[in-house]
Amino acid sequence: MFKTLKKLQWLDYVLLMLVIGFFAYIWWQIEGNLNYKWRWHLIPNYILRYHTVREEWFANVILQGLAATVRISIYASMLAVILGIILGVARCSANLTVRMLARTYLEVLRNIPPLVVIFIFFFFLSEQLIQALNIESWARDIARSDNNGVWQFFFGDMRRFPSLVSGIIVLALFEGAFVGEIVRAGIQSVPKGQHEGALSIGMSRYQELRFIVMPQALMRVLPPLANQFITLIKDSAIISLISVQELTYKTVEVVSSTRLIFEAWITTAAFYFVLCFGLSMLFRKLEKS
Amino acid sequence: MKLTQRYLGATLGSLLALAVGVGSAVPAIAQSTTQALSSESVIETIKKRGVIKIGLSLFVPWSMRDLNGDLVGYEPDVGRQLAKDMGVEVEFIPTSWDGIIPALVSGNFDVIISGMSITPNRNLTVNFTEPYAFTGLAVYANKKITDGFSREDFNDPNVTFAARRGTTPAAAIVKQFPKAEVLYFDEDGAAAQEVLNGNAHATMAAQPTPNREVENYPETLYIPFETLFDPRGEGFALRKGDADALNFFNNWIGDNWRSGWLKERHNYWFAGTEWNSLVAE
């Protein structure tokens, strides 16, 4: 950090001043033209608050939303990795039909806007699945029982469990396609000699994948997979449109209840940034070691 | 080895065929659930389940999050009382306004209690009860750029209205001021902010919102004319073909009008300001 500071020359300082000046000008413009009463002091209340009735500290709406976003991202990425590995292997399969089907799935998802995909998956797939499996009444029974601490920790409010599940499914189906591409690239990056070696010692196709190709491929694709995980966190904002109670949705609720338009959205942006930037730093460190 | 390959291919192929099969069966499932929902009254379902599921979208002062993050407002009051009278628990399902009718139709909840005005257009898709609230729409405008405007001056191509998409005010603006330009937003706050910033001349909202906004920004906003547009009733919305539920809700609403309870709650949230400190200090 200090080393970089020492490297700065006078030209850098001039540039820095110009940038700061530019933003100050924009800020001054906003302040001049925007008729808005800033009420930043209200925001901390919606993050963490001392409950006036229960008399204890509790995570309020925005923090609840953040927790939901973290949960959804973790579960959706686990599902997406499983789906992605299946797709990636299918993309490299010797069977033409399998290859074509995997390719079709990918191309369809890659060429439709995420929002449209999410609506289609939501209404035609996850909703039907939840109704067919009767997840809702099962989750409600848990929500009503006294001993639901573990469930709450892993899934939040169990009454909202069905919408959480459909959010996770929709997101995983969508991101799985991209994970599949990453896995395929990993498999194809394993040199041909490795395949041939496996064949020559009489391994079956499955054994070859399991013991020779996959271990090498997965090691190689870890960095892009980490990247995809961060992308997934950002993409998770879209599922607020199907009323999954994550960070973006909760922010909309705060905004429509209090009119804290700018404060609430800036706070939410900061939360997303800290989460994603923190993870990207962490992954970079892990990659180096 | 070739054999394993072929087996793998065949298994995957049949799996996919199965998936396609399930996929094409989905509309059929959807249809049968709709039928199942309408063949049995939602009242029976609610009693069996022990929970009434109410869909709502946040609008001040209909329903909002208080400082403790709990739902408060006219609708939560109505919903809680309704559940109490039915002897069941209440579960509010916050849903975005755009998708609230599809969510009702696909069975996500039993009834919408969300300040939904009874309009012919909506009525083609869902059933409405008798009104449990009455509102009229009022215009509020930016003082600086609409100084001295008469009612007719607002109906001009140079005038811009801001409105929340898919709402009754949005439709009323188009009807009452056909020549004016309309900017659509996803959320009430954004529409109001555009008027405050002077990017839009005016907007329309159900009372008491216009009065509250003018109170908050007396130096910028005003109500140019006292006309109430499009006075309407708001009803519970429920799936079509459920006469039992319609009957029950209508009688519940009628009873609570006669007892004065609905009126009293309505006044508390719409005319009073006592609750302001609950939402923002």
Side-chain angles (χ1 to χ4, degrees):
Chain A
M1 188 69 194
F2 290 106
K3 262 185 197 163
T4 15
L5 273 180
K6 266 187 201 159
K7 273 190 223 155
L8 288 176
Q9 290 171 358
W10 65 270
L11 190 63
D12 297 306
Y13 286 110
V14 172
L15 280 174
L16 265 176
M17 291 310 282
L18 277 174
V19 169
I20 292 171
F22 175 70
F23 281 110
Y25 175 73
I26 291 193
W27 179 250
W28 178 70
Q29 279 288 318
I30 290 177
E31 271 301 291
N33 295 331
L34 200 70
N35 194 343
Y36 189 78
K37 286 178 190 154
W38 293 88
R39 289 176 294 164
W40 276 105
H41 63 279
L42 285 176
I43 287 289
N45 271 322
Y46 284 97
I47 299 171
L48 208 62
R49 184 177 156 82
Y50 192 77
H51 201 290
T52 42
V53 184
R54 290 202 309 259
E55 306 211 321
E56 58 180 6
W57 285 94
F58 77 109
N60 209 345
V61 190
I62 294 181
L63 211 54
Q64 286 167 13
L66 183 70
T69 291
V70 170
R71 284 187 194 111
I72 290 167
S73 304
I74 292 174
Y75 302 139
S77 54
M78 292 198 296
L79 257 181
V81 165
I82 295 171
L83 184 70
I85 289 178
I86 296 174
L87 273 174
V89 171
R91 287 271 274 143
C92 305
S93 151
N95 184 307
L96 181 66
T97 320
V98 174
R99 245 177 13 238
M100 297 263 275
L101 283 170
R103 176 85 193 268
T104 312
Y105 183 75
L106 172 83
E107 292 295 345
V108 166
L109 285 196
R110 220 170 25 184
N111 293 295
I112 299 178
L115 183 58
V116 179
V117 173
I118 274 163
F119 272 123
I120 291 176
F121 276 153
F122 176 63
F123 282 114
F124 291 103
L125 222 80
S126 65
E127 273 299 277
Q128 312 298 339
L129 202 68
I130 280 164
Q131 268 173 17
L133 295 179
N134 210 4
I135 288 176
E136 201 192 300
S137 64
W138 171 79
R140 184 174 295 112
D141 287 343
I142 291 173
R144 280 178 172 177
S145 66
D146 301 321
N147 246 331
N148 56 9
V150 183
W151 291 96
Q152 285 239 338
F153 177 77
F154 283 106
F155 302 110
D157 181 8
M158 283 307 281
R159 283 171 196 275
R160 293 280 76 79
F161 185 70
S163 93
L164 186 84
V165 169
S166 62
I168 291 169
I169 294 175
V170 162
L171 210 55
L173 284 173
F174 177 69
E175 299 286 337
F178 298 93
V179 175
E181 264 316 82
I182 294 172
V183 172
R184 178 194 58 87
I187 292 174
Q188 287 178 346
S189 77
V190 177
K192 215 174 173 190
Q194 301 282 329
H195 295 273
E196 286 163 353
L199 284 180
S200 70
I201 58 170
M203 279 189 167
S204 70
R205 170 98 177 140
Y206 169 75
Q207 284 171 327
E208 179 198 323
L209 263 178
R210 166 74 184 74
F211 298 108
I212 309 290
V213 179
M214 273 319 213
Q216 300 184 53
L218 287 184
M219 277 314 286
R220 274 176 214 193
V221 299
L222 274 181
L225 271 186
N227 248 334
Q228 191 63 34
F229 177 57
I230 292 171
T231 310
L232 184 142
I233 296 177
K234 286 185 288 174
D235 285 351
S236 73
I238 304 179
I239 57 172
S240 66
L241 283 158
I242 51 174
S243 305
V244 179
Q245 317 273 308
E246 44 71 78
L247 185 52
T248 305
Y249 191 85
K250 290 289 189 185
T251 311
V252 172
E253 287 202 341
V254 170
V255 171
S256 42
S257 299
T258 59
R259 261 310 144 70
L260 296 166
I261 311 177
F262 298 113
E263 294 92 330
W265 285 116
I266 291 171
T267 310
T268 299
F271 272 122
Y272 274 116
F273 180 81
V274 168
L275 189 62
C276 294
F277 189 68
L279 279 174
S280 112
M281 282 316 202
L282 181 74
F283 291 149
R284 197 181 292 176
K285 214 165 198 183
L286 288 178
E287 232 173 90
K288 272 185 191 156
S289 60
Chain B
M1 176 187 55
K2 266 274 161 64
L3 212 62
T4 5
Q5 247 175 48
R6 219 170 271 167
Y7 272 128
L8 191 71
T11 340
L12 270 178
S14 49
L15 265 178
L16 278 157
L18 196 73
V20 172
V22 170
S24 57
V26 161
I29 297 174
Q31 218 163 34
S32 63
T33 38
T34 326
Q35 274 165 8
L37 286 170
S38 53
S39 73
E40 189 178 71
S41 171
V42 79
I43 298 290
E44 292 310 311
T45 325
I46 293 167
K47 283 200 294 197
K48 222 181 282 164
R49 199 196 294 133
V51 169
I52 178 168
K53 295 194 288 172
I54 298 174
L56 49 78
S57 189
L58 302 193
F59 275 99
V60 177
W62 298 91
S63 56
M64 54 217 153
R65 295 260 171 214
D66 70 0
L67 282 166
N68 288 334
D70 299 324
L71 278 172
V72 294
Y74 182 56
E75 248 113 39
D77 279 1
V78 170
R80 284 183 191 122
Q81 187 62 36
L82 176 69
K84 205 174 144 205
D85 291 346
M86 291 176 85
V88 293
E89 275 177 52
V90 65
E91 208 170 280
F92 294 106
I93 304 184
T95 307
S96 52
W97 184 247
D98 281 346
I100 201 163
I101 289 184
L104 171 76
V105 172
S106 69
N108 276 6
F109 33 78
D110 307 317
V111 57
I112 298 174
I113 307 184
S114 189
M116 190 176 270
S117 309
I118 303 165
T119 65
N121 220 345
R122 288 179 186 145
N123 219 163
L124 291 173
T125 326
V126 293
N127 278 357
F128 280 108
T129 62
E130 298 287 316
Y132 68 103
F134 292 92
T135 51
L137 305 174
V139 169
Y140 62 100
N142 187 304
K143 249 183 205 165
K144 236 184 264 162
I145 50 175
T146 64
D147 195 31
F149 272 36
S150 70
R151 160 106 170 62
E152 285 67 40
D153 289 335
F154 279 96
N155 189 16
D156 187 281
N158 292 322
V159 170
T160 311
F161 275 86
R164 178 167 168 180
R165 184 152 39 99
T167 54
T168 30
I173 289 167
V174 174
K175 203 172 145 204
Q176 301 290 337
F177 305 96
K179 286 187 198 150
E181 191 109 15
V182 190
L183 284 178
Y184 292 103
F185 295 91
D186 253 349
E187 193 262 322
D188 271 340
Q193 192 60 44
E194 282 297 280
V195 179
L196 277 169
N197 290 349
N199 295 332
H201 291 77
T203 182
M204 204 188 257
Q207 282 290 20
T209 306
N211 284 342
R212 294 172 54 80
E213 288 294 330
V214 171
E215 250 169 58
N216 287 340
Y217 293 91
E219 66 288 354
T220 322
L221 299 176
Y222 75 118
I223 294 179
F225 32 88
E226 290 299 328
T227 337
L228 276 188
F229 294 97
D230 216 20
R232 278 184 192 281
E234 277 79 29
F236 301 178
L238 53 157
R239 283 182 290 272
K240 286 180 151 257
D242 191 348
D244 293 354
L246 201 60
N247 180 266
F248 176 81
F249 288 135
N250 273 339
N251 288 331
W252 187 86
I253 291 167
D255 259 359
N256 285 288
W257 273 126
R258 283 187 290 277
S259 74
W261 184 82
L262 275 175
K263 179 117 193 112
E264 185 263 314
R265 287 287 88 194
H266 194 272
N267 281 342
Y268 176 80
W269 292 104
F270 286 82
T273 50
E274 288 160 60
W275 53 269
N276 283 2
S277 61
L278 289 177
V279 177
E281 278 161 346

